[in-house]
Amino acid sequence: MQQVIYVLNGPNLNLLGKRQPEIYGTETLADIELKMRAKAKQQGLELDFFQSNHEGAIVDKIHEAREMAAGIIINPAAYSHTSVAILDALNTFDAPVIEVHISNIHQREAFRHHSWVSSRAEGVIAGLGTLGYLLALEYFASMPVAGA
Ligand code: DQA
């Protein structure tokens, strides 16, 4: 059976491409999903791609991942900096978590320098644009398949 990787996107990322393109670029979330699906296919991974502007919906999706996913790639967006609920949910998830930020949060306003999610993440990719999502997928592709 193919391993499923959950790709979770937080608030305002549905507006990628239109939202502050000088910071986040011109690619849309649909563009990112397309590229990730193509790469996942090559690597024999299945994706569950999700975006929500609601904290509780992201928490619910992480709970679902507990039963379904071999890993999580998450861009929690603004919730990175505020959400203990998302951190707590991720702490109930046993497989690896990779946190992605399109922009380099450490070069930006001080309130973006801390992410609650980072303490749970196996790895954090920030500032490489949307390539960060594909690099996160590469990490999962490079991992030995459980039970193999
Ligand atoms: C972001 C960075 C966050 O600070 C911001 O709130 C976002 C996007 C990024 O991908 O660079 O919405 O997570």
Side-chain angles (χ1 to χ4, degrees):
M1 210 175 72
Q2 278 193 325
Q3 292 199 302
V4 184
I5 306 299
Y6 272 36
V7 184
L8 309 182
N9 291 282
N12 303 303
L13 293 172
N14 54 310
L15 294 181
L16 274 183
K18 295 182 193 139
R19 170 195 185 202
Q20 296 181 283
E22 69 286 2
I23 296 176
Y24 299 113
T26 52
E27 267 188 313
T28 66
L29 198 59
D31 294 334
I32 295 171
E33 180 175 358
L34 217 65
K35 283 191 185 174
M36 288 189 87
R37 287 198 184 281
K39 192 174 176 70
K41 200 171 169 188
Q42 284 169 8
Q43 295 170 333
L45 295 168
E46 199 179 309
L47 294 188
D48 188 317
F49 199 93
F50 177 82
Q51 188 276 332
S52 178
N53 294 323
H54 304 277
E55 187 175 23
I58 296 167
V59 168
D60 287 344
K61 196 69 184 172
I62 295 167
H63 292 177
E64 184 189 296
R66 282 163 49 77
E67 306 298 325
M68 304 297 293
I72 292 177
I73 297 169
I74 184 166
N75 183 348
Y79 288 142
S80 317
H81 319 300
T82 63
S83 181
V84 175
I86 289 176
L87 171 62
D88 283 352
L90 288 170
N91 277 330
T92 75
F93 179 76
D94 290 333
V97 174
I98 305 295
E99 178 182 358
V100 172
H101 298 282
I102 296 167
S103 65
N104 182 352
I105 54 176
H106 302 289
Q107 258 179 2
R108 300 183 62 195
E109 304 96 318
F111 67 85
R112 294 186 204 273
H113 296 179
H114 177 259
S115 164
W116 291 99
V117 168
S118 298
S119 66
R120 165 60 188 91
E122 268 66 20
V124 181
I125 301 171
L128 301 184
T130 57
L131 178 65
Y133 286 87
L134 295 170
L135 295 174
L137 200 53
E138 186 87 34
Y139 167 77
F140 285 108
S142 74
M143 288 186 18
V145 176

